[in-house]
Every structure is written in C-alpha cells, then in structure tokens.
Amino acid sequence: MASRKTVKTASKPAKNTYATPALEKGLDVIELLAHHPGALSKSAISRHLNRTVSEIFRMLVCLEKRGYIAQTDGDCYALTLKLFSLVQEHPPTERLITEALPVIHRVTQQMDQSCHIGIIEGAQVTILAQVNAPTPVGFYVKLGSTVDLMEAASGYVILAHLGDEELERTLTEWKSTTGKKVPEDLKKHLSRIRRQGHETQPSYLVRGVVNISCPIFDERASAIGALTVPYIQYNESKIGLAEGSKILKQACLEITHAIGGRLPVN
C-alpha cells in the first residue's frame, strides 16, 4: 500500500540559511529513490533532479559506499533497507516496537484481524511494525510501507492528538510536500476523533476494510503513533467493531504505560 509521490527538486536555500549543496544533493537522491517504485539509472536520476550526471555521480558513489543505495539491474540504483534499519534502532522507536509487539500479537489473536503501528514521518504514515491475522485469509499492511497521512486513519488519529505547534508544523510540511490544501473539514474531523478517543473509518484506499485506530502517547501526552486494525468482516466474526475498538483502546493504554507515556488531560 505504499503511495507513489512526485518528488520535487530542492528549492534554493533562503538567504538567512546556511547552504549545504552536497548534503542537499545526497538527500535529493535518497528522497527520489524512496518515492520511486523501481530502480533508476544515473541519467534518470539527474533528469528527475534537474542536475547533471557529473553532479549526481559522486553522490551515488558515496551513498553506495555507505550502504544507503545499491546497484540493481545493471547501472540502476535503488534504496537498501539501511534507512529503515536505522529508524528501528533509534532508541525511542526500538522501545516502542519492543513493548508493542507482544500486545499486537495478543490483539490479533483476540480479534482474528491483522494489526499494525503507524508513525508520521514528514507527510506520510510509515508502518513501523505489524502482525498478520491468525487466519487462513486476511488483509494486512506491509511492514515499512508508507501512505499519505491524509489517506490513513492512523494519520488522522495522530494529528488529532498532537500539540498545536507540532500539528501546524506537520500540516505545513504535508502541504509543502504534496502541493495540496488541507481538507476544509479537518478541524471538525480531528475534534471528533479527540472526543471519541479513536477512529473507526472505512479505508480511504481499500473497499470493504474498516480501519479501527487508536493513539499511543509519549511522556508529553502527545501521540507518538497509532495502533490500527484494518477490520474485515468474516462470515463467522466473533468480535464486532464496537468491541474491537475497546480491545484496541486497552492495547494502546498498555503500550503507552509501558513506554512511560501519559494520557492527555481533557
């Protein structure tokens, strides 16, 4: 379910900022490859980024040497899993995954549904951990995949439980990255989620799936991520949406306490 995005070339730095052209070139390459479904040649990368092949060449050599990209299909380049591994090794992220996985496994057993954790990174929700349903058939979101935060129940749930400044920064980055306007009913939507404490919403991307999503809080009582069950109705389902929401809320409460987080004061 990873979404495809059009990567814009980096804009010129503002007068009051320090220019770091080499770093910007390297980051441009990483971001381009992250949003492209397949490997790209040197000429294709230079064309996408409006730079010469000679400008890009040294960036590719450095990134390949450090393990961030690798050559595939001859002279083409693709991202490796190093960035994803680094994210998982980051102490707060590692602790979140460690504490959450046993709880997620229990949720999947209780509900006969898959379950995953999503976090906001830039303008997207990234799937940080997931467990498949213990059933012969089911629906799940691929580990490490990304989706536009405005097309994910977990994105709205996290946004609804951010502080005003962090919310504004996130929305500003989303608008800058996507070139879209914030939905007119966003404020009302987020307010409703805060009142409910969770979101139960038909999937924005897949028909027949209803996403149940609840927030996980950090020590500042700000949402650090969201636990989501992409609920599908089996012929012999024992757990309905209402009971599933209660199970997921309790799971998020356990994870929040386990990582030293605290609930917001209403």
Side-chain angles (χ1 to χ4, degrees):
M1 286 178 59
S3 59
R4 299 180 182 180
K5 303 295 176 186
T6 300
V7 178
K8 301 177 180 179
T9 55
S11 57
K12 293 182 179 180
K15 291 182 179 179
N16 293 330
T17 62
Y18 294 100
T20 53
L23 176 60
E24 288 180 357
K25 290 176 191 176
L27 293 175
D28 284 345
V29 171
I30 289 175
E31 290 174 1
L32 172 63
L33 294 177
H35 292 120
H36 198 275
L40 292 174
S41 65
K42 289 193 291 287
S43 59
I45 293 172
S46 65
R47 185 170 61 253
H48 276 287
L49 299 180
N50 292 325
R51 297 185 184 277
T52 65
V53 172
S54 60
E55 282 183 286
I56 295 301
F57 178 72
R58 284 190 294 177
M59 298 301 109
L60 295 176
V61 171
C62 178
L63 291 172
E64 184 177 15
K65 182 178 179 181
R66 298 294 295 268
Y68 289 97
I69 65 174
Q71 288 194 53
T72 61
D73 300 325
D75 195 31
C76 293
Y77 293 85
L79 281 183
T80 65
L81 294 177
K82 183 169 182 176
L83 283 172
F84 186 64
S85 298
L86 289 175
V87 170
Q88 290 184 306
E89 292 170 7
H90 183 54
T93 302
E94 183 182 22
R95 184 179 181 189
L96 175 59
I97 295 173
T98 299
E99 298 292 352
L101 275 176
V103 180
I104 296 176
H105 277 284
R106 192 186 70 227
V107 168
T108 63
Q109 294 293 327
Q110 288 177 297
M111 296 181 62
D112 280 340
Q113 307 281 345
S114 69
C115 185
H116 60 265
I117 288 181
I119 61 172
I120 289 181
E121 290 187 320
Q124 297 179 315
V125 170
T126 298
I127 306 306
L128 198 61
Q130 74 89 30
V131 177
N132 292 346
T135 53
V137 295
F139 177 85
Y140 71 95
V141 180
K142 187 168 65 174
L143 178 66
S145 62
T146 59
V147 63
D148 188 314
L149 68 86
M150 294 293 181
E151 295 179 349
S154 51
Y156 287 104
V157 165
I158 298 171
L159 289 176
H161 296 89
L162 295 179
D164 292 341
E165 291 186 4
E166 191 171 2
L167 174 61
E168 186 60 33
R169 284 198 302 271
T170 303
L171 292 178
T172 297
E173 184 168 357
W174 178 82
K175 288 186 291 186
S176 174
T177 301
T178 65
K180 301 177 183 177
K181 294 182 179 179
V182 171
E184 293 182 1
D185 64 343
L186 180 63
K187 185 175 181 180
K188 184 183 296 184
H189 188 176
L190 299 185
S191 179
R192 176 175 58 79
I193 293 173
R194 281 191 293 271
R195 289 196 305 271
Q196 294 179 166
H198 73 282
E199 172 81 307
T200 302
Q201 172 73 35
S203 171
Y204 295 90
L205 300 174
V206 182
R207 292 181 182 178
V209 174
V210 178
N211 288 319
I212 310 171
S213 189
C214 299
I216 299 169
F217 296 98
D218 61 17
E219 71 282 355
R220 301 168 299 152
S222 179
I224 191 175
L227 199 62
T228 301
V229 167
Y231 183 93
I232 58 176
Q233 182 69 51
Y234 297 106
N235 290 335
E236 299 180 358
S237 292
K238 298 178 181 179
I239 303 294
L241 289 171
E243 188 175 354
S245 298
K246 293 179 182 179
I247 291 173
L248 206 61
K249 278 187 177 181
Q250 179 60 35
C252 286
L253 183 62
E254 289 182 35
I255 297 171
T256 294
H257 288 161
I259 63 174
R262 61 186 180 88
L263 301 180
V265 179
N266 296 326

